[in-house]
Amino acid sequence: MSDQRDRLDALILRAKAHKMTPAERREQRVSLIMGFRGNESSLTRENVEKILEDNEGYQTQVAV
C-alpha cells in the first residue's frame, strides 16, 4: 500500500508544479462550457471553439 501511496504523492507533486499552457487552459474552458450546456442543447464542441475563436481571436489545435 505504501508503494501506491508514494506514486500518488509523486503524481500530486507533479500536478502542483505543472504550469498550464494557453492551449490547455483553452481546452479546459471548452470542456467547462460543454459541461454547462443543457440536455436539450444542440451546441457542439466545434460551435464552442468557433465562438471562442471569434470572440478571443485564438485558435486551438485539438489533438484527437
Side-chain angles (χ1 to χ4, degrees):
M1 184 76 105
S2 178
D3 195 34
Q4 186 176 14
R5 177 62 189 210
D6 291 342
R7 286 197 312 260
L8 180 58
D9 287 343
L11 285 172
I12 291 170
L13 286 175
R14 196 168 112 200
K16 282 183 179 180
H18 178 71
K19 180 82 170 167
M20 287 182 65
T21 66
E24 288 171 323
R25 284 193 301 274
R26 177 60 176 253
E27 188 56 34
Q28 265 199 348
R29 183 178 293 127
V30 170
S31 180
L32 178 69
I33 293 168
M34 293 301 292
F36 277 135
R37 66 192 174 111
N39 291 337
E40 302 298 318
S41 175
S42 62
L43 189 64
T44 65
R45 182 171 295 277
E46 290 78 19
N47 295 138
V48 171
E49 290 172 351
K50 177 73 170 111
I51 292 166
L52 289 175
E53 179 183 329
D54 291 347
N55 288 311
E56 298 174 357
Y58 177 86
Q59 186 172 8
T60 301
Q61 298 282 330
V62 178
V64 179

